[in-house]
Amino acid sequence: EAQVTQNPRYLITVTGKKLTVTCSQNMNHEYMSWYRQDPGLGLRQIYYSMNVEVTDKGDVPEGYKVSRKEKRNFPLILESPSPNQTSLYFCASSLLGVSNQPQHFGDGTRLSIL
Amino acid sequence: SQKIEQNSEALNIQEGKTATLTCNYTNYSPAYLQWYRQDPGRGPVFLLLIRENEKEKRKERLKVTFDTTLKQSLFHITASQPADSATYLCARAAGGGNKLTFGTGTQLKVEL
């Protein structure tokens, strides 16, 4: 089944403790991205990657890192999480870019930073 | 900067009626607009994409229109059903087509 898989689905942690949210897709997509979703603010793009070893900032990249060493994986790294990063996070992928490409989303990761 | 605006108020309609949702954007006209459906606790699911040179696009009970003069896209669900109840998001690409910007979504509730 074609899908985008995120792990973990839920995480409660404390300020400053490094964490990684994994994202994997099995559709051989070149484009992958991360979003956070907050009430009243909607989905906002954090980082995106056009292909392996190619990443770029989205609209809200501060406090986050990403890497794209393999085509199928695009982990999101919070090196020193803070409470304002408490949010619902989504990973997405598409064949090529975003303009005319449907995005396939994972089911989300709910992060709580205490 | 480019903004996408959707009506933040929930839309309640009766089963069988047509639901119409609005997506407005500022500044330049996007080449494409996308519409997604999101259920509580789930990721958005792609529904339709419309290009700027298309006035209308249809898929089963769904219809999307695109008016570049008004800077607006309308999303219609005909013969609505309770199962259509969800939040609907519109999105457009910017930055050379590499970044996607979403509206905040409109919650639709279809009542029996």
Side-chain angles (χ1 to χ4, degrees), chain A residues 56-71:
Chain A
D56 210 342
K57 295 177 181 178
D59 293 320
V60 288
E62 294 77 22
Y64 304 95
K65 283 177 59 178
V66 292
S67 69
R68 187 93 180 271
K69 293 185 171 60
E70 304 166 286
K71 197 171 188 178

Side-chain angles (χ1 to χ4, degrees), chain B residues 6-79:
Chain B
Q6 295 183 258
N7 191 345
S8 59
E9 288 184 21
L11 177 63
N12 295 335
I13 65 166
Q14 203 171 15
E15 183 180 21
K17 302 290 187 185
T18 296
T20 299
L21 308 175
T22 304
C23 176
N24 296 301
Y25 54 90
T26 59
N27 299 337
Y28 64 88
S29 294
Y32 303 91
L33 268 177
Q34 303 182 17
W35 283 88
Y36 291 79
R37 169 186 173 136
Q38 187 175 23
D39 292 287
R42 305 299 300 274
V45 174
F46 173 79
L47 296 174
L48 280 171
L49 177 153
I50 186 165
R51 295 174 174 77
E52 65 176 344
N53 60 356
E54 296 177 311
K55 292 238 186 292
E56 183 179 297
K57 194 82 168 277
R58 289 176 186 262
K59 179 182 176 182
E60 297 172 352
R61 293 185 297 111
L62 309 180
K63 184 177 83 171
V64 173
T65 61
F66 196 175
D67 189 326
T68 54
T69 302
L70 294 178
K71 296 192 189 313
Q72 183 180 82
S73 176
L74 298 179
F75 178 82
H76 308 271
I77 306 176
T78 58

Side-chain angles (χ1 to χ4, degrees), chain A residues 13-81:
Chain A
T13 187
V14 296
T15 299
K17 186 176 180 182
K18 181 179 178 179
L19 68 91
T20 299
V21 184
T22 63
C23 174
S24 180
Q25 51 92 5
N26 62 359
M27 295 169 278
N28 201 34
H29 284 172
E30 293 197 354
Y31 182 92
M32 297 185 74
S33 60
W34 277 101
Y35 298 83
R36 61 178 289 175
Q37 187 172 37
D38 302 287
L41 297 176
L43 276 163
R44 293 179 293 166
Q45 195 170 39
I46 303 170
Y47 268 95
Y48 64 92
S49 169
M50 295 296 293
N51 212 327
V52 175
E53 302 293 0
V54 180
T55 63
D56 210 342
K57 295 177 181 178
D59 293 320
V60 288
E62 294 77 22
Y64 304 95
K65 283 177 59 178
V66 292
S67 69
R68 187 93 180 271
K69 293 185 171 60
E70 304 166 286
K71 197 171 188 178
R72 63 182 293 127
N73 297 323
F74 191 45
L76 179 70
I77 303 156
L78 285 71
E79 296 222 326
S80 184

